[in-house]
C-alpha cells in the first residue's frame, strides 16, 4: 500500500488542459472517483465528460453525486461515504484517484476529503491543474495582472459595495461562481462600465464556451453556474 491516493486536477473543461502527470496518473489508476451534480433533471458531470474524452476505461470510474444546495449536510454525507470507500479501496491495494474540475486545491470541495485522509495518516498526493480564470485569460488573450497589480479572487460572495471599492482602488478582481452573486455584480457593472473593463466568461473549455467584454451581451441573461468575471479597472 505504498501508492498514495491521488487528487487529480482536470482543468476547466478542455480535456487537453489536463497535465501529462495528471493523465498518466489516471491511466494507471484502478479506481477513479468522479464528482457529479444531482439536480431535479438528474445527474450531470463535467468531470465525467472530461474523463470520457480522455478515453479512460469507464468501468474504472465511480461517480459520487453532490446535491445542488447551500446546505452542506447532505454533501457532507456524500463526502463521508467517499472517504470510507476510498480508504477501503486503498487498503485493498487499489491505486485510487479522486478528480476535480479546475485545480483540486483552488475552491475545490474535495479538499475536505484530502484533509480527512491526511488526518487518518493515509498518504495523499495532489496534482496541480489549470484554474478556470487562468484558462479564461488565455482565451481572451488578456494579461490578468501585470507589474505590481494586485488580484482579488472572490468566490461568489461579491457585493456591489465590495466590488465598487475594489474598482476604486484599481484592484483587478476575479469573481468565481458568478451565478451566486449575479445581481450584485450587474449593479456594479452598470455603475462602473466607464471605469473598468468587465470580461464575462461561461463554460470555458467546452462547446458552450462564451466570452465577451460587451456588458449588453450578458447583463440581461441568466448566468449559468459555470461562469466567471474578470474586472480590470482602467
Amino acid at each position: 500500500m505504498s501508492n498514495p491516493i491521488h487528487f487529480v486536477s482536470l482543468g476547466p473543461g478542455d480535456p487537453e488542459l489536463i497535465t501529462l502527470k495528471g493523465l498518466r496518473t489516471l491511466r494507471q489508476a484502478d479506481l477513479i472517483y468522479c464528482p457529479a451534480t444531482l439536480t431535479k433533471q438528474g445527474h450531470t458531470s463535467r468531470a465525467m465528460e472530461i474523463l470520457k474524452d480522455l478515453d479512460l476505461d469507464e468501468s474504472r470510474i465511480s461517480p459520487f453525486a453532490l446535491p445542488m444546495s447551500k446546505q452542506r449536510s447532505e454533501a457532507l454525507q456524500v463526502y463521508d461515504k467517499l472517504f470510507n470507500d476510498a480508504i477501503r479501496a486503498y487498503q485493498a491495494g487499489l491505486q485510487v484517484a479522486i478528480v476535480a474540475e479546475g485545480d483540486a486545491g483552488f475552491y475545490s470541495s474535495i479538499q475536505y476529503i484530502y484533509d480527512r485522509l491526511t488526518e487518518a495518516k493515509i498518504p495523499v498526493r495532489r496534482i496541480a491543474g489549470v484554474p478556470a480564470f487562468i484558462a479564461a485569460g488565455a482565451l481572451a488573450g488578456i494579461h490578468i495582472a501585470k507589474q505590481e497589480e494586485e488580484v482579488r479572487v472572490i468566490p461568489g460572495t461579491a457585493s456591489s459595495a465590495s466590488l465598487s471599492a475594489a474598482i476604486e482602488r484599481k484592484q483587478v478582481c476575479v469573481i468565481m461562481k458568478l451565478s451566486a452573486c449575479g445581481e450584485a455584480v450587474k449593479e456594479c457593472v452598470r455603475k462602473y462600465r466607464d471605469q473598468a473593463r468587465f470580461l464575462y466568461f461561461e463554460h470555458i473549455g467546452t462547446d458552450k464556451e462564451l466570452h465577451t467584454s460587451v456588458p449588453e451581451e450578458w447583463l440581461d441573461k441568466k448566468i449559468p453556474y459555470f461562469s466567471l468575471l474578470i474586472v480590470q479597472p482602467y
Side-chain angles (χ1 to χ4, degrees), residues 5 33 81-94 96:
I5 293 178
Y33 290 107
K81 182 178 185 304
L82 174 59
F83 169 75
N84 290 316
D85 289 348
I87 287 182
R88 281 194 292 269
Y90 168 78
Q91 292 175 337
L94 299 180
V96 178

Side-chain angles (χ1 to χ4, degrees), residues 92-221:
L94 299 180
Q95 295 190 50
V96 178
I98 302 173
V99 302
E101 299 150 23
D103 180 87
F106 189 80
Y107 291 129
S108 177
S109 56
I110 64 169
Q111 182 67 32
Y112 173 78
I113 306 297
Y114 184 97
D115 291 341
R116 287 196 63 188
L117 290 170
T118 300
E119 292 170 1
K121 308 300 182 185
I122 302 295
V124 291
R125 185 172 300 161
R126 189 167 65 217
I127 298 175
V130 178
F133 75 93
I134 296 297
L139 174 65
I142 62 171
H143 198 169
I144 295 175
K146 57 184 180 294
Q147 297 177 347
E148 297 180 356
E149 286 181 335
E150 296 181 356
V151 178
R152 182 181 179 189
V153 181
I154 308 172
T157 58
S159 66
S160 179
S162 65
L163 187 53
S164 296
I167 292 173
E168 291 176 1
R169 290 195 303 268
K170 304 295 184 182
Q171 187 177 50
V172 177
C173 289
V174 175
I175 304 172
M176 310 286 288
K177 304 178 182 178
L178 184 61
S179 60
C181 58
E183 292 310 310
V185 170
K186 288 178 180 180
E187 178 184 339
C188 189
V189 172
R190 294 185 177 100
K191 182 179 179 181
Y192 287 95
R193 59 183 307 156
D194 294 329
Q195 298 181 45
R197 180 164 63 154
F198 297 89
L199 297 111
Y200 173 85
F201 303 85
E202 62 181 54
H203 298 293
I204 296 299
T206 74
D207 56 6
K208 298 179 182 178
E209 183 175 82
L210 170 67
H211 75 95
T212 178
S213 60
V214 181
E216 287 80 8
E217 294 182 359
W218 63 274
L219 279 177
D220 293 327
K221 68 177 296 186

